[in-house]
Amino acid sequence: MTLASDPGSALPPPAPPAPLYLPHYDLTQAVEAVAAARAALTSAATVEWVSVAADAYRAVLDSHDYDLTTLEARVLEAQDACTAAATVAGRYGQ
């Protein structure tokens, strides 16, 4: 039996690490999609009519705005984590 450190070893050298895929582009698209959705909500909120229906409509839009704010925070956290992972990976040659 031969060992990998033995010059006469029949074992091939270890394969290089697989390329690391980090979703920078996808996260950038997510940030842009949130911004577009926020713009659409802002546009939708510009109703001039006053009624109970208008108040309910605005309440629904406010709820969606809250959801977008939450989503945006999560996407930005993911971007930060992705950047940190790329930094660490770069230190190890990936």
Side-chain angles (χ1 to χ4, degrees), residues 1-93:
M1 179 165 122
T2 59
L3 299 175
S5 61
D6 181 355
S9 174
L11 297 175
L20 182 64
Y21 170 75
L22 294 172
H24 296 289
Y25 177 75
D26 299 320
L27 291 170
T28 299
Q29 282 189 311
V31 168
E32 292 169 359
V34 168
R38 188 173 308 284
L41 279 179
T42 300
S43 176
T46 57
V47 295
E48 297 179 14
W49 36 282
V50 178
S51 69
V52 173
D55 292 343
Y57 175 75
R58 286 188 187 94
V60 169
L61 292 178
D62 287 344
S63 172
H64 291 315
D65 187 56
Y66 175 80
D67 293 341
L68 276 176
T69 300
T70 303
L71 177 61
E72 182 179 38
R74 298 302 177 262
V75 169
L76 293 175
E77 287 173 11
Q79 274 190 317
D80 290 345
C82 190
T83 300
T87 300
V88 171
R91 289 183 192 147
Y92 291 95

